[in-house]
Amino acid sequence: MTMVIRGDVVFTQKPGCFTALEDGCVVVGDDGRVMEVTRSLPDLTLHGPSVLDTGIETPAAPHSEPSPHWKPEPHVVDRRGCLVIPSFVDLHVHAAQYPMSGLGLDAELLQWLRNTTFPTESRFADPEVAETWYRRFVRRMWRVGTLRFSAFATLHEDSTLMLMRLCQEAGLRPVIGKVNMDRNSPEDLSEGTSDSLDATRRIIKMSRIETPDVGYVVTPRFVPATTTRLMEGLGEIVREFGLPVQSHLDENRSEVDWVHRLHPDIPTYAEVYDRFGLMPEGRTIMAHCIWLTDSERELLRGRRVWAAHCPQSNLNLTSGLIPVRRDLDAGLGVCIASDVAAGHDPSMPRQIVAAIETSKAKTFEAGHEKDRPLTLSEAFYMATKRPGEFFGAIGRGRVGSFEPGYDFDALVIREEGDNPLDLSPEGRLARFIYDGDDRDILERWVAGRRVSEPFAR
């Protein structure tokens, strides 16, 4: 049955401005995809009772036998007074790092990995630890309205499958990858090259049967943790299964120097991934990308890479301020991501604000005084439609907007009492982004289906 969601609809078809419809309607088909967005209830010939989501029936006018062109009355979900916005999409999050949010952030990246991250991730060899924390992670992502995401698990085969199963059960539709790392790691968080590749293949095959709504993404941790042989093997898997890839790139200057020492024959960090087939065109996420060279920008643009900008993480680990305006002007597909747990808050509104603020801070650097900071509509686009295009590119449904053909992934945001300032829908969205939280989210929808809180007790 066709569904109509009625409320104050706000989304971004393009980065420069909002599309806002006060008391608008999103029409959703039986397949969970948007059919149209209108400024009033669609002009339909109605027969029989009109049923609102409240369950109250309003009798229609008497009629004779339905005509051959009779169509059933759509189900109307009446959310007048509430905002209806696309749900958030996070293309870089570490699910197994959720328990360490806020920990060790006085260190820079490489020390933080050694002292905080690796000891935490090694605990996920224990299935009880993995299940406890992955349930909490999935529930938190639901609460903050991030219903599709690209997540790193750990190198552990069983716990990675567990995370995928929990997301399937919860009704979320992320992509998830087992971390691959066969060098420069502690003894209790290491794997052999052949073991890493074999486990990856097993998870891919099992997940296609067990978790059809949860995709797999090939996940080399980063170049310093993956040998040439492992990267070659992962490149073969990417080609064989037509899979996407996620990893890290140019996050920290010490990390960049390390990559150059490991691969002195390859000019740039980005070219290492490309050399081994780990930058498939239109199917690659590279996180951070702070210290890109001009040649790397050109390579990423040509490969249509999603560059996941993680502003909170970049500040927490003293990694740097990305020149986001120059990257956008260069044609890079920059989106905003949380990078939990180096980013301490999985809330995408918090990351949107951090991205805007850091783009303003960048203008205080010499040579960047004329860079134009991000606007709210641009940053919102970079947390909804832009990363949502990744899921369309890998054949898992276009999301992040209410344009025809997009999956209806949405949040219903309740109004906090009266609106004394008589704010527009865009103004109310700004208040939610800057000052709201998950308590303001009334409902969450994935592909046209309302999703309740997972694992609620």
Side-chain angles (χ1 to χ4, degrees), residues 18 133 154 164-165 240 245 258 321 372 424:
F18 289 109
W133 282 104
T154 61
M164 300 181 81
R165 292 175 184 131
E240 178 182 348
V245 172
W258 193 8
L321 300 178
R372 185 165 54 88
S424 66

Side-chain angles (χ1 to χ4, degrees), residues 11 58 74 90 117 123 151 156 181 199 216 226 240 242 316 322 347 351 355 368 374 389 400 408-409 447:
F11 60 105
T58 304
D90 185 349
T117 304
R123 297 286 306 280
H156 307 104
M181 49 191 296
Y216 192 85
T226 49
E240 178 182 348
N316 282 339
I322 185 174
S347 165
Q351 304 302 328
H368 292 269
L374 292 175
E389 290 174 339
F408 183 69
D409 283 22

Side-chain angles (χ1 to χ4, degrees), residues 9 22 109 129 134 184 317 435:
V9 179
E22 191 165 6
L109 173 67
V129 171
Y134 279 154
N184 295 320
L317 295 181
D435 193 42

Side-chain angles (χ1 to χ4, degrees), residues 56-194:
I56 300 173
E57 295 191 357
T58 304
H63 61 277
S64 57
E65 290 297 317
S67 73
H69 303 293
W70 178 85
K71 293 182 180 180
E73 166 79 5
H75 178 69
V76 179
V77 179
D78 191 343
R79 295 295 177 263
R80 279 174 288 182
C82 295
L83 288 174
V84 181
I85 66 172
S87 60
F88 298 109
V89 182
D90 185 349
L91 289 191
H92 186 64
V93 59
H94 292 262
Q97 292 179 15
Y98 178 60
M100 49 179 272
S101 295
L103 302 182
L105 297 179
D106 292 332
E108 290 193 15
L109 173 67
L110 299 180
Q111 181 185 4
W112 181 75
L113 289 173
R114 288 192 303 269
N115 296 346
T116 305
T117 304
F118 291 162
T120 299
E121 290 191 8
S122 67
R123 297 286 306 280
F124 280 71
D126 182 337
E128 291 187 10
V129 171
E131 182 170 8
T132 295
W133 282 104
Y134 279 154
R135 282 177 176 268
R136 292 177 184 179
F137 168 78
V138 171
R139 189 161 58 239
R140 184 67 182 277
M141 297 300 276
W142 176 90
R143 284 179 177 169
V144 298
T146 302
L147 309 180
R148 304 209 192 201
F149 48 88
S150 185
F152 285 56
T154 61
L155 58 76
H156 307 104
E157 180 178 354
D158 291 342
S159 64
T160 300
L161 276 167
M162 179 187 296
L163 175 59
M164 300 181 81
R165 292 175 184 131
L166 289 172
C167 288
Q168 179 75 31
E169 179 183 347
L172 307 188
R173 296 193 175 189
V175 293
I176 292 169
K178 170 207 168 325
V179 172
N180 301 102
M181 49 191 296
D182 65 343
R183 68 175 171 181
N184 295 320
S185 59
E187 185 176 347
D188 59 354
L189 194 69
S190 61
E191 58 183 350
T193 305
S194 296

Side-chain angles (χ1 to χ4, degrees), residues 198-430:
D198 290 345
T200 299
R201 289 180 177 276
R202 285 193 297 269
I203 295 172
I204 292 167
K205 293 174 182 178
M206 291 180 68
S207 65
R208 290 188 169 185
I209 298 170
E210 296 185 25
T211 60
D213 294 329
V214 180
Y216 192 85
V217 53
V218 173
T219 308
R221 180 170 215 117
F222 66 160
V223 167
T226 49
T227 62
T228 294
R229 184 174 159 227
L230 180 55
M231 287 189 283
E232 288 173 342
L234 292 175
E236 292 174 4
I237 288 174
V238 169
R239 290 188 292 274
E240 178 182 348
F241 292 96
L243 290 171
V245 172
Q246 63 177 353
S247 196
H248 301 84
L249 175 64
D250 288 333
E251 176 178 0
N252 173 281
R253 282 176 287 195
S254 297
E255 167 213 16
V256 175
D257 290 342
W258 193 8
V259 171
H260 289 326
R261 292 196 302 272
L262 291 169
H263 296 275
D265 58 320
I266 302 178
T268 65
Y269 194 164
E271 287 175 88
V272 177
Y273 291 114
D274 196 48
R275 173 80 61 90
F276 297 107
L278 294 174
M279 201 176 281
E281 185 173 347
R283 306 198 312 273
T284 302
I285 302 166
M286 286 291 159
H288 302 289
C289 301
I290 302 170
W291 303 103
L292 295 175
T293 64
D294 288 341
S295 66
E296 285 178 308
R297 283 189 180 87
E298 185 61 25
L299 177 59
L300 267 60
R301 188 190 64 79
R303 294 286 184 272
R304 295 188 293 118
V305 169
W306 274 261
H309 170 31
C310 309
Q312 195 179 73
S313 166
N314 296 343
L315 292 173
N316 282 339
L317 295 181
T318 326
S319 296
L321 300 178
I322 185 174
V324 65
R325 177 60 62 193
R326 296 187 182 188
D327 288 343
L328 291 170
D329 289 346
L332 268 63
V334 185
C335 55
I336 294 171
S338 71
D339 192 26
V340 166
H344 58 270
D345 192 336
S347 165
M348 290 303 289
R350 296 292 172 268
Q351 304 302 328
I352 288 171
V353 173
I356 294 170
E357 291 175 338
T358 55
S359 73
K360 293 176 179 178
K362 189 71 177 179
T363 66
F364 293 106
E365 286 189 10
H368 292 269
E369 296 91 344
K370 295 184 179 180
D371 289 7
R372 185 165 54 88
L374 292 175
T375 64
L376 179 59
S377 66
E378 287 178 308
F380 187 79
Y381 178 92
M382 293 162 66
T384 53
K385 182 175 178 179
R386 182 57 184 145
E389 290 174 339
F390 170 80
F391 285 86
I394 64 172
R396 304 199 73 85
R398 291 182 296 171
V399 294
S401 182
F402 295 147
E403 297 165 61
Y406 279 66
D407 285 358
F408 183 69
D409 283 22
L411 306 176
V412 177
I413 311 298
R414 75 173 95 228
E415 179 65 37
E416 182 184 353
D418 296 331
N419 184 3
L421 298 179
D422 194 26
L423 294 175
S424 66
E426 300 98 310
R428 288 161 55 206
L429 175 61

